[in-house]
Amino acid sequence: MEEELCQSILKALGAFDYIAASKLISKINKIYPLMGSILTRLCNCENSFTQLQFLRSRYFFMRKDTSVEVVYTTIANEIPREIQNIDSSALSVNDKSSIMGILSALEKFCCTRRDMITIYQSILAQSIKGEFQDILIELESVQKRTIADCLGADLGILGIGVEKEINILTSLLKARTAIMNYAFQDSCILLYSSKQELTEWKRACQEQDYPEKSSSRPDETKEISPWVFSLFGPSESKILRQGDVWPNTIRWHTRVLGNLTAKMTLYFNTILLEKECILNEEDANRSLWKGLRIDYHEQISSFRKKYNAHSLGIVYEVSDSIPFYPQGYVCSGIPYEPPQGIHSFPFIYCYPKDTPNKHLPSIISIIQGSKRRLSNPKNEPVYFYDNTIGSTYYLMRVDDHAVFVIIYLEKHNHRDTATVEFITHIVTSLRGSTVIEELIKVD
């Protein structure tokens, strides 16, 4: 009976149903108080962790001995002693064996949670600079340990959930790098993987059955654009979700996925439009962005119309270390021929679609002459007026390769406030800074 009750508690915890878990824990407290004590603290930690409360500013004023990572550590340290005491308990032989397995897995689970707290804190600290390579290395190390621990075997959906969470976050960070390196195929695969893991995680949570289950009224998601439909599989409109019942971890992962999907749509706009035109000849651009949480194309076209900018685009700065293919990928066995001269600064996105080639020498000159200013993410956009062709330029670096450019065909005697605000807004979003800072704002 005790083992069955523990399994129900783990299901409730894994499905983020902390009200049901608390009710079930109160029952096991009467039967096995020591196990009840561990599960009570674990429930409180899980509720705090999945709401990302450890990233809120007020959290840092808490007593150190009550912080979530310390409590996780304390539980992990207590479990080996509790396992030794199980033999002297009044539990049946079968319950003893099962609970020992659960406790052993919970020890590893708590250590993994503690590692993930550090990783989330590190991600938040990089919201401006966006240097995630070291974080990704650490995350992959945690991922390998989690795979070896096989937490899903003993903890069910609670163990599966932490595995899914780590897999999703790993794929999202890798996808960010792939998009930045203009690797279309890798970007598609990694975003698809993230989408699938997220969908499977939600579905698994909804399918859990246990006593005291809280009732929630699922709703339906919005339809997504045709190319996303073909890339990411069946639309979520057929998959019921719990609306705002989902915890902040899942909701934040969903927002990051949406942010990267929109960034990919902008970076590979030319490639995707060719495919979209086959499906929708009349208004491929509108169809391409339909249903995406962030519509960069609409923002850009609206700004140009309102402020009479000549052209807005993204210039990709090709480097020696990362091969660049205009089509976003290349078949194996084909030798790489790096672009030379002016061709090593191609426009990967441009609105209107006619590339402003006559402005490219000026843009390249500004990029090369303002490397230090462009490389500091805290700096304002670079502003420059070219007397030779009578045009004004605003430039701001998105990532290691991409620079966002706005061109006017007239002289701006001073920085235009609306242009500075717009380019800062869109570049901050493309960098991912905005969505990363939502870690402490998700409600």
Side-chain angles (χ1 to χ4, degrees), residues 164 168 192-206 232 234-236 239-240 246 257:
K164 292 289 187 186
I168 292 166
Y192 173 82
S193 175
S194 300
K195 173 77 172 184
Q196 288 298 99
E197 293 270 14
L198 195 55
T199 301
E200 290 170 7
W201 187 9
K202 289 180 179 180
R203 185 185 289 114
C205 289
Q206 291 170 336
F232 293 149
S235 168
E236 275 197 7
I239 301 170
L240 295 177
W246 294 121
L257 176 60

Side-chain angles (χ1 to χ4, degrees), residues 330-343:
V330 69
C331 298
S332 60
I334 297 178
Y336 174 60
E337 295 182 6
Q340 303 293 326
I342 197 171
H343 300 292

Side-chain angles (χ1 to χ4, degrees), residues 245-300:
V245 175
W246 294 121
N248 289 345
T249 44
I250 282 185
R251 293 165 69 188
W252 182 74
H253 287 145
T254 302
R255 292 186 187 185
V256 175
L257 176 60
N259 176 271
L260 289 174
T261 302
K263 181 175 181 177
M264 176 182 172
T265 308
L266 189 69
Y267 273 43
F268 300 104
N269 192 263
T270 303
I271 299 170
L272 295 170
L273 270 179
E274 290 177 1
K275 302 178 185 300
E276 196 65 30
C277 285
I278 299 173
L279 301 173
N280 192 326
E281 295 181 2
E282 292 183 1
D283 197 347
N285 248 318
R286 184 180 294 276
S287 176
L288 180 62
W289 291 91
K290 180 183 177 182
L292 295 186
R293 182 171 174 258
I294 306 171
D295 188 339
Y296 288 122
H297 178 74
E298 175 62 27
Q299 293 179 34
I300 290 169

Side-chain angles (χ1 to χ4, degrees), residues 25-209:
I25 290 170
S26 66
K27 295 179 181 180
I28 205 167
N29 257 324
K30 300 174 183 177
I31 304 170
Y32 192 178
L34 291 176
M35 187 67 172
S37 173
I38 289 174
L39 291 174
T40 297
R41 285 174 290 162
L42 181 65
C43 181
N44 292 333
C45 283
E46 283 298 284
N47 195 3
S48 178
F49 176 89
T50 57
Q51 296 306 323
L52 299 172
Q53 291 178 0
F54 56 90
L55 294 174
R56 312 291 173 90
S57 57
R58 64 178 179 272
Y59 171 81
F60 296 102
F61 295 97
M62 293 175 60
R63 287 171 45 191
K64 292 298 183 183
D65 58 340
T66 60
S67 64
V68 179
E69 61 264 45
V70 171
V71 178
Y72 274 127
T73 301
T74 302
I75 295 172
N77 291 338
E78 287 181 4
I79 286 176
R81 295 195 296 270
E82 182 56 31
I83 290 175
Q84 292 178 349
N85 295 330
I86 285 181
D87 285 336
S88 59
S89 69
L91 298 173
S92 67
V93 174
N94 288 338
D95 279 343
K96 286 179 181 179
S97 175
S98 298
I99 290 177
M100 284 177 67
I102 291 172
L103 285 172
S104 178
L106 283 177
E107 179 187 3
K108 299 171 184 175
F109 175 87
C110 288
C111 292
T112 300
R113 278 292 196 232
R114 184 185 58 200
D115 292 338
M116 289 303 294
I117 287 173
T118 301
I119 285 171
Y120 279 118
Q121 289 171 335
S122 299
I123 290 173
L124 182 59
Q126 286 295 329
S127 63
I128 296 177
K129 289 186 176 181
E131 297 173 355
F132 296 107
Q133 195 55 43
D134 290 342
I135 297 173
L136 181 57
I137 292 171
E138 178 59 30
L139 185 58
E140 288 178 320
S141 176
V142 174
Q143 185 182 41
K144 288 179 182 178
R145 292 200 302 271
T146 306
I147 292 172
D149 289 340
C150 298
L151 296 178
D154 291 306
L155 302 181
I157 185 61
L158 182 63
I160 292 170
V162 74
E163 292 170 356
K164 292 289 187 186
E165 180 178 2
I166 293 169
N167 291 343
I168 292 166
L169 192 54
T170 302
S171 293
L172 289 173
L173 290 182
K174 287 182 176 180
R176 181 185 179 277
T177 301
I179 295 169
M180 181 177 67
N181 293 338
Y182 208 70
F184 179 69
Q185 187 176 36
D186 290 345
S187 301
C188 290
I189 292 170
L190 290 164
L191 289 181
Y192 173 82
S193 175
S194 300
K195 173 77 172 184
Q196 288 298 99
E197 293 270 14
L198 195 55
T199 301
E200 290 170 7
W201 187 9
K202 289 180 179 180
R203 185 185 289 114
C205 289
Q206 291 170 336
E207 291 174 350
Q208 298 306 304
D209 189 25

Side-chain angles (χ1 to χ4, degrees), residues 315 347 356 359-368 393 395 405 407:
V315 174
F347 273 93
H359 294 273
L360 200 48
S362 297
I363 292 169
I364 294 171
S365 178
I366 298 169
I367 291 174
Q368 292 178 332
Y393 304 92
L395 288 81
V405 180
I407 305 170

